[in-house]
Amino acid sequence: MSTAVYPGSFDPPTLGHTNLVRRAAPLFDHLYVAIAHNTAKKSLFSTDERVELFAQAVADIPNVSVISTSGLIVHTAEQLGAEVLIKGVRGMVDVENEVTQARLNKEIGGIETLLLPSEARYTCVSSSAVKEIASFGGDFSSLVPENVYKKMKQLEETWPTRK
């Protein structure tokens, strides 16, 4: 049985993230989306909220589970019996960063990393960009799943730039 883990902070989940899951899921018996708390980033949503939002967005894919995780992703992968980490790359900067991380993960955890390029329409989509657009009242509806858009619209008045 082949198992993979797609790790990230996913704050918020974007259509680029869900597209990658839809493309990776058929390659494995099971794909875990592992949502981690990133201490280097200020989170819009709690880890539990991100798990719920992502799970709703990919609920139609039977071999995908969305979980929360903490600590090293190689330890999570080992606990889940995963052979592969999945990482999306939008451009060369992502490739450089992810290759470095892949080498570290191979060294400390013995796990391989599969880099999947994003589809062209999602190369400019990032969680950070979505939050920036939303904070200034821009239309981000084409960048996130509908359930994420609705949840973010509920927070509209709390954005720092709107005060």
Side-chain angles (χ1 to χ4, degrees):
M1 175 181 252
S2 63
T3 302
V5 175
Y6 175 34
S9 54
F10 308 114
D11 186 44
T14 70
L15 288 174
H17 296 138
T18 58
N19 176 265
L20 192 135
V21 168
R22 291 182 187 290
R23 292 170 44 225
L27 304 174
F28 301 95
D29 294 322
H30 200 86
L31 175 63
Y32 289 93
V33 176
I35 299 181
H37 176 68
N38 186 335
T39 57
K41 296 180 181 178
K42 184 176 186 281
S43 295
L44 177 62
F45 295 113
S46 71
T47 304
D48 289 344
E49 287 173 317
R50 287 179 276 145
V51 167
E52 182 180 341
L53 288 168
F54 210 127
Q56 289 170 354
V58 296
D60 61 312
I61 310 172
N63 67 325
V64 173
S65 299
V66 183
I67 62 169
S68 64
T69 187
S70 60
L72 294 175
I73 196 61
V74 294
H75 294 157
T76 300
E78 182 179 15
Q79 291 169 353
L80 296 171
E83 300 89 10
V84 177
L85 295 176
I86 303 294
K87 296 297 291 210
V89 291
R90 294 170 297 205
M92 289 310 296
V93 171
D94 283 353
V95 171
E96 286 185 34
N97 292 333
E98 295 302 343
V99 165
T100 299
Q101 190 64 49
R103 288 180 178 141
L104 286 169
N105 288 332
K106 179 70 171 175
E107 179 68 27
I108 64 173
I111 192 162
E112 293 292 347
T113 300
L114 175 63
L115 302 181
L116 287 179
S118 66
E119 289 189 0
R121 63 185 166 183
Y122 300 119
T123 57
C124 65
V125 179
S126 69
S127 295
S128 297
V130 168
K131 288 187 277 195
E132 179 83 3
I133 293 165
S135 72
F136 287 101
D139 181 12
F140 59 96
S141 61
S142 65
L143 307 177
V144 296
E146 185 177 349
N147 66 313
V148 174
Y149 179 76
K150 288 177 181 177
K151 184 78 169 177
M152 288 181 71
K153 291 299 278 183
Q154 291 173 359
L155 303 176
E156 194 168 47
E157 294 305 314
T158 65
W159 290 99
T161 56
R162 299 255 179 123
K163 291 182 179 181

